[in-house]
Amino acid sequence: MADLMERHIAAQRAVAHAVHFANFSGAAEEVPCVSYANRSLGAAREDDTARAAIVNYEPRDDREARLKLTYIAAYLMATRASLNAHERNATLHTVGRTN
């Protein structure tokens, strides 16, 4: 679980870096649109993949189940995002198996 969380955090940082690079790199003509789009798309895909890995991860015990729920709750509060129906069901299903 810790490896998945680290991977997700790294992906979020890559997204933030891509946005920061586009916003603060100086003159707009210095940032090729295609380069920014590719960097942003790649970072967003990795973020989605890492998030899905956490959502679908099956905790080995109650401690990991609580860690998973805590991480997801913190992520949702920090980003003001939400889980779609599939993600909610997968999270509840995988966490419920540890009882």
Side-chain angles (χ1 to χ4, degrees):
M1 184 70 200
D3 291 342
L4 295 176
M5 292 186 315
E6 288 180 28
R7 178 180 170 201
H8 187 232
I9 291 167
Q12 290 177 347
R13 286 184 178 148
V15 169
H17 179 72
V19 170
H20 177 78
F21 177 78
N23 290 337
F24 300 105
S25 64
E29 52 270 6
E30 291 179 22
V31 181
C33 292
V34 173
S35 174
Y36 168 71
N38 286 337
R39 180 181 296 198
S40 297
L41 182 59
R45 282 184 180 154
E46 177 57 26
D47 181 50
D48 289 345
T49 300
R51 177 176 160 168
I54 291 171
V55 165
N56 294 314
Y57 178 77
E58 295 198 22
R60 293 176 286 185
D61 54 29
D62 286 341
R63 186 193 68 77
E64 275 198 350
R66 287 189 302 274
L67 180 61
K68 176 179 176 173
L69 289 175
T70 302
Y71 180 83
I72 290 173
Y75 167 77
L76 295 175
M77 287 186 280
T79 62
R80 296 185 179 172
S82 61
L83 298 177
N84 64 38
H86 171 74
E87 291 169 325
R88 282 190 306 273
N89 291 336
T91 299
L92 294 174
H93 181 71
T94 58
V95 170
R97 289 184 182 193
T98 62
N99 293 330

